[in-house]
């Protein structure tokens, strides 16, 4: 993400610094304090004047609060109008100035995902906080691990995929598990099914995740309609109960959770400009540079917002990021 030009303040004496401080305003910014040692102090605040005065202003010698007055040679700051803009700008600056420690500086914690591992001979699911480029599908993000585990458990209850984490060596002498006895697993460990039959079930799970549950919902609705038309109301009622269960599982996912190779969205935020909003596109899981979208009437004629938005999307220069950065976004 591109970093815009900041507002910069530089001084050559403490007297000029003290003359500069009263002109600051208490606005929301991300700021950077440069020191004569070459080190950088990075922060963000909603009250710029108060924060900079506390860090650089005069204070009692007995004060134990952090003071950069004797070290600082300049301040740069970027006004922000929303929490999202502040967070993304702070993250970008931290990556630029502290490449080895920026994750700790911004308290960057990776969310949990439900991953379907298709590279395994007998695919299974797992909970992970790391995205992978191939060999499966990652579904998320979830607010926490417990939420991801609940969704994984509910999803597996709809299918007959194995829940064990071991690399299977199928054998008729394998002891199996309780899920096989409950008919919640195809029991590949006991050679009850072959690789191709088991993969068919794994593909059903993949379709369920990629479509946010719609693949199974559509199939059940079709079955229910066909049974109702053939007057088999008892079987139709059974399918209806299963359909309600599937819809419940689909609703159980977190609001942002989806297949991570199809992660698109848009955030509409306040802007510092009058009659303008800031658009932030999440394109294929990566945040793009902000777009200022003016809401003023053009030349006295109303213009369709839908048309203008489509023009913005068509002209958007979409930046591609490595998987590691996409995960951070």
């Amino acid at each position: 993400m591109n970093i815009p030009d900041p507002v910069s303040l530089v001084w050559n004496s403490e007297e000029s610094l003290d003359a500069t401080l009263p002109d600051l305003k208490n606005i929301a910014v991300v700021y950077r304090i440069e020191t004569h040692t070459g080190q950088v102090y990075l922060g963000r605040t909603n009250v710029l004047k108060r924060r900079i005065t506390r860090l650089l202003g005069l204070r009692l010698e007995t004060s134990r609060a952090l003071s950069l007055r004797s070290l600082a040679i300049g301040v740069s700051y970027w006004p922000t109008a929303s929490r999202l803009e502040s967070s993304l700008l702070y993250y970008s600056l931290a990556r630029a100035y502290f490449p080895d420690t920026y994750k700790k500086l911004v308290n960057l914690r990776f969310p949990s995902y439900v991953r379907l591992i298709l590279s395994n001979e007998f695919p299974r699911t797992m909970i992970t906080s790391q995205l992978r480029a191939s060999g499966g599908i990652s579904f998320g993000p979830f607010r926490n691990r417990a939420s991801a585990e609940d969704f994984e458990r509910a999803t597996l209850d709809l299918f007959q995929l194995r829940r064990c984490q071991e690399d299977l060596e199928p054998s008729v002498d394998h002891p199996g598990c309780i899920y096989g006895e409950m008919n919640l697993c195809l029991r590949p460990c006991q050679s009850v099914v072959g690789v191709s039959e088991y993969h068919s079930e794994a593909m059903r799970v993949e379709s369920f995740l990629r479509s946010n549950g719609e693949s199974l919902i559509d199939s059940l609705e079709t079955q229910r309609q066909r049974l109702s038309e053939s007057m088999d109301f008892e079987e139709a009622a059974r399918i209806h109960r299963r359909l309600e269960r599937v819809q419940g599982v689909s609703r159980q996912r977190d609001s942002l959770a989806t297949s991570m190779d199809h992660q698109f969205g848009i955030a509409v935020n306040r802007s510092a400009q009058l009659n303008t909003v800031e658009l932030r596109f999440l394109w294929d899981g990566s945040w793009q540079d902000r777009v200022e979208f003016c809401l003023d009437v053009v030349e006295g004629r109303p213009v369709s917002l839908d048309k203008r938005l489509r023009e913005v999307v068509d002209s958007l220069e979409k930046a591609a990021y490595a998987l590691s950065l996409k995960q951070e976004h």
Side-chain angles (χ1 to χ4, degrees), residues 54-74:
R54 181 176 66 81
L55 291 172
L56 303 180
L58 285 169
R59 65 182 64 207
L60 297 175
E61 293 184 0
T62 56
S63 174
R64 301 178 63 182
L66 174 66
S67 176
L68 300 176
R69 183 179 178 85
S70 61
L71 298 174
I73 59 175

Side-chain angles (χ1 to χ4, degrees), residues 17 44 52 99 129 141 150 156 162 246 250 258 301 313:
L17 168 60
R44 51 182 170 173
I52 297 301
S129 60
D150 289 343
L156 291 178
R162 69 187 181 102
V246 173
S250 183
T258 188
R301 298 193 305 260
V313 174

Side-chain angles (χ1 to χ4, degrees), residues 22-235:
D23 295 332
L24 296 176
K25 297 180 180 180
N26 279 322
I27 57 176
V29 300
V30 176
Y31 64 90
R32 177 188 68 203
I33 299 178
E34 297 97 3
T35 66
H36 61 71
T37 63
Q39 294 181 312
V40 172
Y41 183 88
L42 189 65
R44 51 182 170 173
T45 179
N46 290 325
V47 283
L48 172 65
K49 182 177 180 179
R50 185 190 305 174
R51 178 66 59 84
I52 297 301
T53 301
R54 181 176 66 81
L55 291 172
L56 303 180
L58 285 169
R59 65 182 64 207
L60 297 175
E61 293 184 0
T62 56
S63 174
R64 301 178 63 182
L66 174 66
S67 176
L68 300 176
R69 183 179 178 85
S70 61
L71 298 174
I73 59 175
V75 173
S76 299
Y77 63 87
W78 293 260
T80 58
S82 67
R83 290 180 60 188
L84 177 62
E85 181 185 6
S86 176
S87 296
L88 291 176
L89 180 57
Y90 184 65
Y91 159 76
S92 298
L93 290 167
R95 285 194 72 246
Y97 289 103
F98 306 97
D100 298 326
T101 59
Y102 71 93
K103 293 180 183 178
K104 182 177 180 180
L105 182 64
V106 301
N107 194 26
L108 189 59
R109 298 179 180 178
F110 295 138
S112 294
Y113 305 90
V114 175
R115 180 164 179 80
L116 175 62
I117 306 174
L118 297 174
S119 57
N120 194 292
E121 183 179 24
F122 296 97
R124 60 179 176 84
T125 61
M126 66 176 295
I127 305 299
T128 180
S129 60
Q130 300 295 320
L131 294 179
R132 295 289 184 269
S134 60
I137 171 178
S138 296
F139 188 88
F142 289 87
R143 289 166 294 182
N144 50 54
R145 186 178 181 87
S147 180
E149 289 175 344
D150 289 343
F151 179 80
E152 178 193 35
R153 188 181 307 111
T155 298
L156 291 178
D157 285 344
L158 301 175
F159 300 93
Q160 291 182 295
L161 216 62
R162 69 187 181 102
R163 309 186 190 214
C164 53
Q165 302 297 305
E166 61 185 288
D167 288 331
L168 294 183
E169 296 182 2
S171 170
V172 293
D173 298 323
H174 194 285
C177 68
I178 186 62
Y179 294 106
E181 297 299 324
M182 296 169 61
N183 202 32
L184 294 176
C185 176
L186 291 176
R187 295 190 289 176
C189 57
Q190 297 175 316
S191 299
V192 174
V193 297
V195 173
S196 60
E197 186 175 353
Y198 186 84
H199 265 270
S200 297
E201 186 71 359
M203 293 304 100
R204 292 181 64 225
V205 178
E206 181 184 12
S207 297
F208 178 83
L209 295 176
R210 289 191 184 278
S211 65
N212 294 328
E214 291 301 320
S215 62
L216 189 54
I217 290 175
D218 290 345
S219 174
L220 291 173
E221 286 180 341
T222 300
Q223 291 183 50
R224 183 183 61 181
Q225 181 65 24
R226 187 180 66 251
L227 290 168
S228 297
E229 292 174 352
S230 62
M231 308 293 284
D232 190 349
F233 298 119
E234 184 175 342
E235 186 63 17

